[in-house]
Amino acid sequence: MSWVTAALRSSVGKKFVMGITGLFLCGFLVIHLAGNLLLYIGDGTVYNEYAHKLHSNPILLFVAEVILFAGFLIHIYLAIVTNRENRAARGVRYAVKKTKREDRTVNLFGWTPDTTMFASGAVILGFLVVHLSDFKFGDIVHGERIAGLEPADKARILMSDAIRAGIYLVGSIFVGIHVSHGFWSAFQSLGVNHPKYNDWIRKVGIAFAIIVAVGFGSFFVWGISGGEVDPAVEEAPVGSSSVLETAPPRPDQYTQK
Amino acid sequence: MPAHKQLNLTLRVWRQPDAGSRGEFRDYKLYSVSPEMSFLEMLDVLNEQLLEEGEEPVAFDHDCREGICGTCGVVINGQPHGPMQGTTTCQLHMRNFEDGDLIVIEPWRASAFPVVRDLVVNRSAFDRIIQAGGYVSVRTGQAPDGNAILVPSPDQAGAMDAAACIGCGACVAACKNASAMLFTAAKVSHLAQLPQGEPERKQRALQMIATHDEEGFGACTNTYECEAACPAEISVSHIARLNREYSKAMLTARQ
Ligand code: HEM
Ligand code: FES
């Protein structure tokens, strides 16, 4: 076994890669959220411009997507492998199990973010399947053709469906829960633990989790309020122009760049 | 709490004649337990009662009974070493329980710690992790000059914090992944902070982790249950040092 394989197979090595890919995915979340928030500027043209610019260099986009997918795949692969090994390591389960930690603030009947990382990750994975089938490979969404539409309008139509918007809300919240432990946990896995920085890393992690959950979650409100076929929609937040008041839009209704 | 208070308890104890048998919980009533007793003394009383009744006494590990040897240790109502922080089972007292309590007593649960009998588990996996690198090589002969190698005071204190590990295995018992990372980290961190540990530093981290994994312990997921259950209150910051030691050794060791 070469030293690289030995390292990647070891418990510490796997956690190291888990931490690196996790932080890489956190970085992706920041960029993704910043891009999405452009939907709130004006009538969506800024967002459209950003989306078109992103797609204007297919080679660069392809490379970026391959790296991103690789990040996800490695992270998920290691999640499954370590989860299986960790369960096997216990063997016979306890009849009664109780924590000795009393400092956990987020605690729902004993479920805490740090002990449910695999579950929250699995929910995120489920959400990702819906998300990718909508925006990347989506063609027809609840009866409407969205392929070929301007990106902002695609988003508007998709998110106008309460159930769909609800799925996105759940996805956002679970990503927030996942990174609320994952962010600082990654630092520990990478060996960064020092009284000078620990407090900061924790605080940044919590702030990041809230920003991610609220930031992505806000599109739930945007979607269901912007999607209403109702004149009151004019008062809705900026960006939610009333596309859906009329019949399903045709691509040529919009100014193409 | 008045000293004359006595406890009547129901003990639900894991009974398993040997490693190969299935094992099961059995309930025992114990009356008039003094709150001054330690948990192990309470088990002694139970065993006397069992002997009188002609039943096999409950096997449990113990030696010093003063919290320094790391031999004792059972899971009490789901908590390794019971409800107190920084306390071994032998130092836990019955005053922490209430009259009428049901107390569930289980052995450490880990594939790497097979049950030998009842509450006794085989912890020789820890010995093999230590044998893999938890030592420094010294020459035999005359006792060396104690001041020949200078150790800065903060380093000495940091090393001693890690050296406080008594190897009881509560970290493994508490961890949801049955990981022995806190135990392994304590030894690696102890010796990594001392000049005497320098020559074998890289091999130590690599070989101890390799043995840890071979023995079937899980990986760390930073839930920090180990730290909370540790009677010696070893900090998880030692696990971070182990992670650093391991990655440095992986990248730079010559082989
Ligand atoms: C936006 C997507 C995601 C982000 C930003 C993210 C981020 C992170 C981070 C930062 C960590 C901490 C790594 C460490 O402790 O060293 C982590 C751990 C983990 N992630 Fe993710 N992750 C994502 C998606 C997923 C998915 C889809 C799964 C699928 C099952 C998953 C499962 C896990 C598991 C099992 C762990 C280890 C848990 C633990 O150490 O307790 N994650 N993640
Ligand atoms: S018997 Fe020695 S620590 Fe409990």
Side-chain angles (χ1 to χ4, degrees):
Chain A
M1 208 163 30
S2 87
W3 68 271
V4 182
T5 4
L8 295 181
R9 281 202 186 151
S10 74
S11 53
V12 175
K14 276 185 283 208
K15 283 296 297 182
F16 198 88
V17 178
M18 196 87 201
I20 299 244
T21 53
L23 282 185
F24 166 74
L25 294 178
C26 286
F28 160 71
L29 286 183
V30 172
I31 296 168
H32 190 22
L33 180 61
N36 286 3
L37 288 176
L38 296 177
L39 273 169
Y40 290 146
I41 301 174
D43 59 354
T45 46
V46 182
Y47 176 79
N48 288 341
E49 260 172 52
Y50 156 76
H52 289 309
K53 222 170 241 147
L54 202 64
H55 288 257
S56 63
N57 189 340
I59 298 169
L60 202 69
L61 184 70
F62 179 75
V63 173
E65 281 184 345
V66 167
I67 295 173
L68 182 61
F69 269 84
F72 268 110
L73 283 183
I74 295 169
H75 191 78
I76 294 166
Y77 169 74
L78 288 179
I80 294 168
V81 171
T82 51
N83 187 259
R84 213 181 34 211
E85 289 171 352
N86 291 345
R87 289 159 79 85
R90 165 98 311 132
V92 181
R93 314 196 88 191
Y94 287 108
V96 185
K97 188 83 181 80
K98 195 168 167 217
T99 180
K100 286 190 90 164
R101 277 188 59 185
E102 281 140 20
D103 55 341
R104 289 192 179 99
T105 38
V106 183
N107 189 333
L108 192 72
F109 311 117
W111 293 46
T112 59
D114 57 337
T115 53
T116 52
M117 287 296 277
F118 190 74
S120 60
V123 173
I124 297 171
L125 185 58
F127 163 73
L128 280 179
V129 172
V130 175
H131 184 40
L132 286 181
S133 77
D134 280 351
F135 279 92
K136 190 147 182 68
F137 309 111
D139 187 1
I140 294 173
V141 177
H142 39 93
E144 303 197 48
R145 229 189 122 68
I146 57 160
L149 286 190
E150 280 296 284
D153 298 323
K154 244 181 174 177
R156 232 167 250 148
I157 293 172
L158 271 164
M159 297 297 284
S160 66
D161 179 39
I163 294 175
R164 188 56 56 109
I167 294 176
Y168 279 74
L169 179 64
V170 171
S172 311
I173 292 172
F174 273 85
V175 172
I177 292 172
H178 195 76
V179 298
S180 74
H181 171 71
F183 183 84
W184 70 257
S185 169
F187 285 88
Q188 168 81 0
S189 299
L190 300 177
V192 182
N193 179 321
H194 194 288
K196 273 186 188 162
Y197 318 114
N198 284 352
D199 231 32
W200 278 99
I201 295 172
R202 289 264 180 165
K203 282 181 185 145
V204 170
I206 299 301
F208 178 63
I210 293 172
I211 289 170
V212 163
V214 173
F216 284 110
S218 71
F219 293 100
F220 168 78
V221 182
W222 173 82
I224 57 166
S225 55
E228 276 173 25
V229 188
D230 186 324
V233 94
E234 298 304 328
E235 273 114 51
V238 215
S240 54
S241 73
S242 44
V243 234
L244 292 181
E245 282 182 34
T246 50
R250 282 173 287 114
D252 58 351
Q253 276 181 314
Y254 301 96
T255 41
Q256 298 279 337
K257 268 184 6 106
Chain B
M1 190 183 290
H4 58 264
K5 193 185 132 180
Q6 306 241 299
L7 308 171
N8 298 320
L9 303 168
T10 307
L11 306 175
R12 182 163 294 165
V13 186
W14 183 258
R15 302 305 310 264
Q16 184 173 336
D18 53 62
S21 318
R22 273 188 64 86
E24 59 176 13
F25 281 103
R26 223 168 290 161
D27 284 4
Y28 304 103
K29 295 265 183 222
L30 203 57
Y31 299 101
S32 307
V33 173
S34 158
E36 262 91 66
M37 280 182 194
S38 76
F39 199 85
L40 296 188
E41 284 165 341
M42 184 275 294
L43 288 179
D44 291 337
V45 173
L46 169 71
N47 279 345
E48 277 169 28
Q49 182 178 312
L50 290 179
L51 280 170
E52 273 171 26
E53 289 164 4
E55 203 181 323
E56 275 293 317
V58 177
F60 61 91
D61 255 336
H62 60 101
D63 188 14
C64 72
R65 296 206 177 198
E66 55 181 19
I68 53 165
C69 74
T71 310
C72 66
V74 290
V75 174
I76 301 161
N77 289 333
Q79 297 177 306
H81 291 306
M84 305 295 284
Q85 302 273 325
T87 304
T88 53
T89 303
C90 59
Q91 292 205 300
L92 178 69
H93 286 82
M94 295 315 293
R95 55 177 167 268
N96 296 300
F97 297 87
E98 295 296 326
D99 185 34
D101 272 359
L102 166 71
I103 305 177
V104 182
I105 309 171
E106 288 178 81
W108 289 170
R109 295 285 188 201
S111 306
F113 285 166
V115 171
V116 175
R117 184 191 180 104
D118 296 337
L119 303 172
V120 178
V121 297
N122 181 343
R123 281 171 291 188
S124 58
F126 269 13
D127 301 337
R128 290 187 287 277
I129 293 177
I130 293 294
Q131 281 162 12
Y135 53 80
V136 293
S137 302
V138 289
R139 288 176 182 281
T140 53
Q142 281 195 322
D145 175 359
N147 296 320
I149 304 173
L150 298 180
V151 181
S153 173
D155 293 357
Q156 177 270 343
M160 281 303 148
D161 281 347
C165 171
I166 55 174
C168 66
C171 45
V172 175
C175 177
K176 78 177 178 55
N177 312 320
S179 173
M181 218 46 93
L182 192 63
F183 168 79
T184 309
K187 193 45 68 186
V188 169
S189 177
H190 164 202
L191 298 175
Q193 294 180 77
L194 296 174
Q196 288 87 342
E198 203 56 37
E200 286 136 333
R201 187 167 180 174
K202 290 174 185 170
Q203 286 314 309
R204 176 179 308 116
L206 296 179
Q207 287 169 6
M208 287 183 79
I209 283 297
T211 309
H212 169 281
D213 295 353
E214 275 162 27
E215 292 292 341
F217 294 107
C220 178
T221 56
N222 306 332
T223 63
Y224 295 179
E225 288 290 347
C226 51
E227 184 184 69
C230 177
E233 302 187 308
I234 306 288
S235 158
V236 289
S237 63
H238 297 294
I239 299 183
R241 181 174 284 108
L242 165 67
N243 293 344
R244 294 197 292 278
E245 290 292 318
Y246 185 80
S247 14
K248 250 185 264 169
M250 258 303 167
L251 294 171
T252 59
R254 277 203 215 93
Q255 39 174 280

